[in-house]
Amino acid sequence: MKRHVGIQILVVLIAAMMMLTSFACAKTPAAPAAEATEAPAAEVTEAPAPAAEPVTIEFWHNYSESDGQIAVLDELIAKFEADNPGITVEPVYMEWSALHDGVVAGATTGTLPDVLRGDIAFVPQFGALNVLVDMGALPGYADVAASVLPSANSTTSMNGSNYGLAANTNTKILYYNKTLLDAAGIAVPTTQDEMWNAASALSGDGKFGFVEAWTGWWNVGPYIWSNGGDVLSPDYSTATGYVNGEAAVATIQKLADLYAAKALTGPTMDPGAIGDTDGWASGTYAMEVDGPWRGNALNSAGIEFGAVPLPKGTASSTSVLGGEDFMMFASSSDAEKEAAWKFIQFMVSEDAQVAMAKVGQMPVSIAALQNADALAAMPLLPVYVEALQTAKSRPVIPQWSEIEGIVATKASEAITGVKDAQTAMDEAAAEINALLAG
Amino acid sequence: MIDQQKQSRLKRNRKHTPWQMSMRYILLCLGLLIMVIPMVYMVSSSLKPNDIAFSYPIRLIPTAQEATLSNYDYVLHQKNFFTYVGNTLIVATATTVFSAALSSMLAYCISRFRFPGRNLLYSIIITTMLIPGLAMLVPQFELAVTFKLVNNLWGVILFYTAWVTPFSTFLIKGFIDNIPRELDEAIYMDGGTVFTIYRRVMLRMASPSIAAVSVFNFLFAFEEVGWSQTILKKDELRTLPVAITQFFQAHNRTDWGYVFAMTCLAMIPVILIYVLLQRYFISGLSSGAVKG
Amino acid sequence: MSTRFSRAKSFFKRKDNIRMLALLFPGLAVIGLFTFYPIIKMFVMSFFDWKIGYQQVSQFAGLMNYAAVFSDKAAGIAIANTFYYMLLTVPLQMIIGLLVALMINGIRRFTVTFRLMYYLPVITSWVVVALLFRNIFSNQGLLNYFLMDVLHVTNDPIGWLSTRWPALTATSLLGIWKGIGWNMVIFLAALQAIPGEYYEAASIDGLNRRQQFFRITLPNIKGTILFSLVMLIIGAFNTYTPIMVMTGGNPAHQTEVVLTWLYYQTFSVSGKMGYAAALSFLVTAIISVLAVLLFKVFSPQKEERKS
């Protein structure tokens, strides 16, 4: 009898689940279908003039929601769609690694977006996957390229072709917690040595003078460049004498000393360390060399801060070029490619770039960089423009992401004291050479 | 049978001294304390305002003035929160139902019939349990593209079903092995077919084990992140765990209060399922494969 | 066996065979297509220099990928770390789970409550509990707070997650904490299936509690122990989220486990699919060998019933 009741409960449960499921089946296919029929219908009534086939392009990006960039993007897309009847842009947000892994997973089958706005480091990597469109051959590319910063657009050029168009640029500058520096009576550093000394002076009692989010070339590279070192020879043929050269090893050794003295930390060197954003907010970290997003984060955390271009090393002040590029994909149809190119041109126009500047994206459009509204919205723009003049791009070669991974691993081994700096960097050079040869 | 077990257990217990009994309760409560500290930490963090969620020194329980429901308020008013919950429930429920159906049918056939390739089939099922699922991400993604399952809840449901069915089959088969064959024969005598036996004997007698695997399967589908993140790119199709992950990565500053509030809410359906099915859970596991 | 076969033969007309196939087919189709086919494909890939990318040609590479795995120091570290995690989590979860089950089995009231409370960690999502544990073990976390400001054992925060072995131990503690409930349920089921008469007979024979445990309880749950062992070993090799969230494999891939390393090779670098495929087959081979050994050690007589 008891079992009987049990069965009845189970049957009811299963029936309920079945109902839920059939509801799901009814709902899932219906949703996209409804969207597809509604959207073009609305446009046809609005725009009678061009009879072009309606086309929908998928746009993958990682604009930040909390900074209000997604809201601006939605406005921009609405404007673009109004200007270009028949084209629908479907934005898809993915965080950095999901964006990257999504392209890698979709590469073989061609399940890719029509436009992607992603890290400049993606260009050589996706280029090696053979999925990108050579945009240099598109009509009007030269004119558009001339309207953006040449250094920023240099990140799209590989083997003489352009596999993208610069979307936003940035570089890294030194941010410091004004309150902490003032309290310790420390002047804003102007040289690397002063910066490291300040880091030591600001540390202790659970606080760290300096935080570094990762140990890739993106992080250690600027210091090494500024001390006259490099990662590869200028013709990208070898790493020997460069990544394990005197300047590089001495710089890494300095970072290792700082780490051992608890003046430098970061979540990839010490997984137990508090993340850089949370650490800044709680006053644990005093300095970091970072990009424009750091300013936004510090503002929203209510930290009083200042920023200066990267302090000079023994040779120069050479920071690293960052930012994002627009990319187009070989798997799109011709109509989609045409629409995608229109959309990209729209996104690098002065108006669109200024709108994005207001929510923290540094423009590449030369006109937008001088725009008064953009300057007003980004008080640090002049500092960045100064830093950009000497900033260097990382090598745009297909093996780069692997090289960056090797540098990150070996530098981390050296900094955390698993190996001594010379040994670790020698190993890095050997591994990189093997990669360049193969 | 269950009543008998219970009685004999009670009989055994009767011999225990009150001292032994209270020792057990004390030990269980002490263990519980360790088990629930992280959970308490989670719930209390969901009640703290964002800026003090992980401030140092740490407070396990927020003070009365600090405690706030604002995180819940924010999460519940997120434009897509209920869409995420709906998607997750649909995916988890469908996976549970499909895998229950498929694995009980497979288990019945493997347990009761000898047919060519039966051993091969069973060893395939065991092997698929051994391979790390994540390893197959790329070939499975290609498959999903071929069948147009990208950006489609079916893509998640079908793959989840395929992943959990081997283990479910394994468990249910062990249970069916212990169901007396005389029942089958009686139905054949009455002119019943294989289907009749499946419906009248297997679904009924094996229901505890089906309920037990359903709890496992529901939980799996409810919290899986990797695959559903790969295959569902559109915001309105995302499942709750993916939304939570994207959520704490999207913001410059991690809003722990929101993350934990979402998590606490996400636990409610799973607890409900467990409470509803827990009676069958133990008896479903107590005979069958688990016994070896 | 043979009697069952002949009996079955006499009972089934051809129609029933077809009906049986109808029951078999849906499950076969789903598993075959969505799980077994990808496994075969992975096996093929492990012998190729597999290129992901649009319209790219992959070249046959023989055993090159397997050689690459064997000569890869980081893969060695990842496999060693996985074994460490396994050796720590598997026995401890089982022993604690069994103890809890024994106690819950021995009490009369609140059994359902205890069962639910101990099961709570199992039904919480991995991502979230891993985040919680990261915050407990981080330098400014709950544990260091207790040690420094409540108990005053130490003045400096201890870097639980900062170096290889402590970090792996911390992730293992998460694995144990989350696995106790599952083991408790499994063992509780096994304990309840032991007929009470056994114990009555034993107490008539004058066996004390401990003797009862070793002579009656343990032999009767031997099958469950084997089952749990195999499942937990598979689970240990499938560990991904705890490491990913708590250390991310840092510093310098020192805390990487098999799956995180596999994921890194597949996605974070440049899609070494062949390498990843070879590594996952080596792991499968390791698990299979362990499973077969366990079956041999535990129940030689059960083997034949299983087949």
Side-chain angles (χ1 to χ4, degrees):
Chain A
M1 216 47 236
K2 208 175 162 191
R3 183 168 292 136
H4 202 68
V5 177
I7 296 305
Q8 281 181 347
I9 294 178
L10 202 74
V11 167
V12 171
L13 255 177
I14 290 181
M17 286 174 172
M18 288 283 192
M19 271 159 65
L20 248 175
T21 322
S22 58
F23 159 74
C25 308
K27 194 185 156 194
T28 342
E35 239 172 62
T37 47
E38 265 168 39
E43 270 157 28
V44 169
T45 49
E46 266 175 5
E53 282 284 298
V55 54
T56 301
I57 53 174
E58 206 170 300
F59 174 45
W60 292 6
H61 65 87
N62 63 344
Y63 285 110
S64 149
E65 164 139 41
S66 58
D67 294 343
Q69 292 171 358
I70 291 197
V72 171
L73 177 66
D74 287 343
E75 283 168 27
L76 288 174
I77 288 176
K79 187 163 179 291
F80 173 75
E81 287 175 346
D83 293 349
N84 295 275
I87 302 180
T88 311
V89 179
E90 208 171 277
V92 178
Y93 165 79
M94 278 183 257
E95 50 90 20
W96 192 93
S97 61
L99 199 65
H100 172 267
D101 299 352
V103 172
V104 174
T108 312
T109 47
T111 315
L112 297 163
D114 301 297
V115 183
L116 179 140
R117 177 233 181 227
D119 199 311
I120 52 172
F122 291 169
V123 173
Q125 231 177 328
F126 297 164
L129 295 178
N130 207 19
V131 293
L132 296 180
V133 169
D134 177 5
M135 289 174 62
L138 291 169
Y141 183 86
D143 294 341
V144 182
S147 75
V148 303
L149 279 180
S151 65
N153 210 42
S154 73
T155 60
T156 66
S157 109
M158 191 163 66
N159 307 328
S161 306
N162 285 86
Y163 290 98
L165 183 72
N168 301 101
T169 189
N170 62 55
T171 185
K172 302 208 303 174
I173 58 174
L174 174 69
Y175 285 88
Y176 57 89
N177 185 323
K178 219 172 183 163
T179 322
L180 291 180
L181 257 71
D182 288 350
I186 292 171
V188 178
T190 55
T191 68
Q192 233 183 73
D193 282 340
E194 283 177 30
M195 180 164 76
W196 301 141
N197 290 338
S200 302
L202 289 161
S203 300
D205 202 21
K207 296 198 187 313
F208 291 83
F210 209 84
V211 59
E212 196 64 79
W214 194 42
T215 54
W217 191 258
W218 168 256
N219 303 78
V220 300
Y223 312 133
I224 297 175
W225 273 333
S226 299
N227 289 333
D230 208 335
V231 57
L232 299 178
S233 61
D235 60 353
Y236 302 152
S237 62
T238 179
T240 307
Y242 293 90
V243 82
N244 61 344
E246 214 175 298
V249 173
T251 311
I252 297 289
Q253 185 57 52
K254 182 69 205 172
L255 294 174
D257 296 344
L258 289 166
Y259 182 82
K262 290 190 186 295
L264 161 74
T265 193
T268 58
M269 302 169 217
D270 174 2
I274 168 171
D276 51 0
T277 306
D278 292 333
W280 269 102
S282 64
T284 308
Y285 300 141
M287 291 188 288
E288 181 173 13
V289 171
D290 212 349
W293 51 88
R294 181 58 49 209
N296 303 332
L298 294 178
N299 275 327
S300 65
I303 298 289
E304 206 190 325
F305 67 97
V308 289
L310 183 72
K312 276 192 201 61
T314 52
S316 62
S317 158
T318 308
S319 194
V320 60
L321 207 58
E324 287 83 16
D325 291 334
F326 286 112
M327 288 156 241
M328 284 168 55
F329 290 85
S331 49
S332 307
S333 72
D334 286 345
E336 285 163 346
K337 281 179 190 159
E338 198 184 318
W341 177 225
K342 269 189 192 160
F343 179 63
I344 293 173
Q345 293 180 61
F346 169 79
M347 288 299 284
V348 295
S349 68
E350 184 178 348
D351 289 351
Q353 292 263 309
V354 169
M356 273 296 171
K358 288 179 185 165
V359 282
Q361 289 291 347
M362 265 187 50
V364 288
S365 153
I366 293 165
L369 278 167
Q370 288 146 2
N371 184 293
D373 285 350
L375 281 165
M378 296 187 88
L380 289 176
L381 205 52
V383 183
Y384 275 103
V385 171
E386 188 189 335
L388 277 171
Q389 280 163 0
T390 53
K392 242 171 116 161
S393 146
R394 289 163 290 173
V396 189
I397 49 173
Q399 300 94 327
W400 178 252
S401 67
E402 257 180 288
I403 295 177
E404 182 109 44
I406 293 169
V407 172
T409 308
K410 293 301 167 190
S412 170
E413 283 178 354
I415 294 171
T416 55
V418 177
K419 290 183 178 142
D420 73 78
Q422 188 68 53
T423 316
M425 296 330 273
D426 285 346
E427 286 174 9
E431 284 183 31
I432 293 171
N433 286 342
L435 208 63
L436 291 171
Chain B
M1 207 174 83
I2 293 165
D3 288 338
Q4 256 176 22
Q5 280 173 12
K6 215 173 240 167
Q7 265 184 357
S8 61
R9 208 172 81 221
L10 290 182
K11 231 183 267 165
R12 247 191 295 154
N13 291 343
R14 224 167 281 150
K15 296 195 197 105
H16 294 177
T17 59
W19 185 81
Q20 274 176 324
M21 274 308 225
S22 38
M23 263 318 277
R24 284 189 182 136
Y25 281 106
I26 290 168
L27 280 176
L28 278 174
C29 289
L30 278 179
L32 208 56
L33 201 66
I34 296 171
M35 294 302 276
V36 298
I37 279 183
M39 312 294 282
V40 172
Y41 192 35
M42 181 174 96
V43 176
S44 81
S45 303
S46 77
L47 295 173
K48 289 182 204 166
N50 261 314
D51 49 325
I52 66 153
F54 287 122
S55 64
Y56 199 88
I58 286 158
R59 267 157 302 182
L60 198 52
I61 311 285
T63 59
Q65 298 100 305
E66 279 169 8
T68 165
L69 285 174
S70 63
N71 292 325
Y72 288 89
D73 192 53
Y74 175 86
V75 167
L76 290 173
H77 286 92
Q78 273 278 299
K79 59 180 179 198
N80 278 332
F81 180 74
F82 287 101
T83 318
Y84 301 142
V85 174
N87 290 337
T88 317
L89 281 178
I90 290 165
V91 166
T93 317
T95 305
T96 312
V97 172
F98 288 145
S99 56
L102 295 184
S103 53
S104 59
M105 292 193 283
L106 277 177
Y108 167 50
C109 293
I110 294 173
S111 171
R112 285 297 200 253
F113 305 111
R114 311 222 88 205
F115 50 89
R118 171 181 168 277
N119 286 343
L120 178 73
L121 172 65
Y122 195 54
S123 44
I124 286 179
I125 287 178
I126 301 288
T127 316
T128 53
M129 282 162 56
L130 299 180
I131 305 231
L134 195 71
M136 296 182 286
L137 200 69
V138 168
Q140 287 185 328
F141 185 77
E142 286 173 26
L143 211 61
V145 172
T146 317
F147 290 103
K148 302 224 180 314
L149 293 172
V150 176
N151 275 333
N152 186 334
L153 289 184
W154 280 107
V156 182
I157 295 168
L158 287 173
F159 278 94
Y160 285 177
T161 306
W163 293 348
V164 298
T165 298
F167 179 61
S168 310
T169 309
F170 174 72
L171 273 184
I172 299 174
K173 178 197 169 283
F175 197 90
I176 291 180
D177 282 342
N178 288 349
I179 298 176
R181 252 162 254 276
E182 287 71 32
L183 286 167
D184 304 21
E185 284 162 24
I187 290 179
Y188 283 128
M189 296 293 194
D190 291 346
T193 65
V194 175
F195 293 145
T196 331
I197 300 177
Y198 173 69
R199 252 195 352 258
R200 296 232 192 107
V201 181
M202 296 309 149
L203 279 189
R204 191 166 289 192
M205 301 281 290
S207 61
S209 69
I210 297 176
V213 298
S214 294
V215 173
F216 290 140
N217 295 345
F218 188 88
L219 176 61
F220 168 81
F222 201 84
E223 71 151 330
E224 206 278 345
V225 185
W227 178 248
S228 86
Q229 176 168 300
T230 310
I231 206 169
L232 300 175
K233 307 284 189 204
K234 286 188 185 149
D235 198 42
E236 67 269 22
L237 290 176
R238 284 196 176 120
T239 53
L240 199 51
V242 178
I244 293 178
T245 341
Q246 296 260 356
F247 191 79
F248 72 72
Q249 286 162 333
H251 293 59
N252 259 326
R253 184 177 146 69
T254 308
D255 297 319
W256 294 108
Y258 300 156
V259 171
F260 287 124
M262 271 174 122
T263 314
C264 291
L265 290 172
M267 279 186 72
I268 296 172
V270 194
I271 294 180
L272 280 179
I273 292 280
Y274 179 74
V275 170
L276 271 175
L277 293 181
Q278 61 98 11
R279 251 187 50 206
Y280 304 94
F281 198 42
I282 300 284
S283 57
L285 293 169
S286 67
S287 44
V290 178
K291 262 172 77 186
Chain C
M1 286 284 160
S2 63
T3 54
R4 178 176 23 150
F5 187 61
S6 57
R7 208 188 288 160
K9 218 175 177 183
S10 63
F11 270 113
F12 299 147
K13 294 140 245 161
R14 276 191 63 103
K15 257 188 184 164
D16 265 342
N17 275 333
I18 295 165
R19 291 195 180 105
M20 185 203 72
L21 281 179
L23 285 182
L24 212 52
F25 181 74
L28 272 187
V30 170
I31 296 182
L33 190 62
F34 293 119
T35 320
F36 197 62
Y37 164 76
I39 291 177
I40 299 296
K41 180 138 194 208
M42 282 295 288
F43 191 61
V44 174
M45 279 162 115
S46 74
F47 295 103
F48 279 82
D49 177 17
W50 198 269
K51 293 259 192 321
I52 37 177
Y54 202 50
Q55 296 163 348
Q56 299 233 13
V57 186
S58 306
Q59 280 185 333
F60 185 73
L63 290 173
M64 196 192 77
N65 289 317
Y66 289 90
V69 174
F70 278 113
S71 64
D72 184 356
K73 266 190 211 149
I77 290 180
I79 291 175
N81 288 347
T82 311
F83 268 98
Y84 179 81
Y85 182 89
M86 182 185 87
L87 290 174
L88 215 58
T89 57
V90 174
L92 281 172
Q93 319 178 38
M94 282 180 71
I95 293 169
I96 301 174
L98 178 58
L99 284 177
V100 174
L102 281 168
M103 283 190 284
I104 291 184
N105 199 36
I107 59 173
R108 248 173 292 178
R109 309 185 64 184
F110 302 113
T111 50
V112 174
T113 318
F114 277 120
R115 242 153 57 186
L116 175 66
M117 298 296 264
Y118 274 95
Y119 203 67
L120 270 183
V122 185
I123 58 183
T124 326
S125 101
W126 270 109
V127 177
V128 171
V129 290
L131 276 170
L132 274 174
F133 268 69
R134 193 178 79 185
N135 282 304
I136 290 173
F137 285 102
S138 70
N139 296 350
Q140 297 195 359
L142 195 61
L143 184 59
N144 274 332
Y145 168 71
F146 269 109
L147 294 179
M148 287 160 62
D149 295 6
V150 180
L151 301 174
H152 298 287
V153 188
T154 166
N155 282 327
D156 278 322
I158 297 168
W160 302 105
L161 298 175
S162 310
T163 45
R164 183 176 173 188
W165 300 113
L168 287 171
T169 310
T171 47
S172 303
L173 285 177
L174 166 60
I176 295 167
W177 176 79
K178 199 163 188 298
I180 288 175
W182 189 85
N183 284 279
M184 177 268 298
V185 163
I186 298 278
F187 282 120
L188 203 52
L191 291 174
Q192 298 197 349
I194 303 175
E197 298 83 58
Y198 289 11
Y199 292 99
E200 278 161 33
S203 39
I204 291 168
D205 289 348
L207 294 186
N208 64 25
R209 264 198 179 270
R210 181 181 302 175
Q211 285 167 323
Q212 286 186 17
F213 175 75
F214 284 106
R215 297 216 194 140
I216 295 168
T217 312
L218 265 192
N220 272 292
I221 60 167
K222 211 166 114 185
T224 309
I225 293 176
L226 172 66
F227 166 79
S228 170
L229 259 180
V230 173
M231 294 316 296
L232 292 180
I233 287 174
I234 295 175
F237 275 90
N238 270 299
T239 306
Y240 174 77
T241 320
I243 298 285
M244 212 49 224
V245 174
M246 284 176 72
T247 71
N250 291 313
H253 305 304
Q254 292 286 305
T255 60
E256 216 85 58
V257 287
V258 171
L259 274 200
T260 54
W261 182 242
L262 207 125
Y263 195 85
Y264 178 80
Q265 289 292 325
T266 311
F267 287 106
S268 305
V269 191
S270 57
K272 289 188 179 171
M273 284 308 302
Y275 175 99
L279 179 59
S280 48
F281 275 97
L282 284 174
V283 171
T284 311
I286 295 175
I287 303 175
S288 312
V289 168
L290 286 176
V292 169
L293 275 179
L294 283 171
F295 272 103
K296 284 259 150 68
V297 169
F298 262 79
S299 50
Q301 79 281 7
K302 286 263 162 65
E303 273 283 78
E304 94 197 63
R305 223 197 69 189
K306 274 254 143 29
S307 60

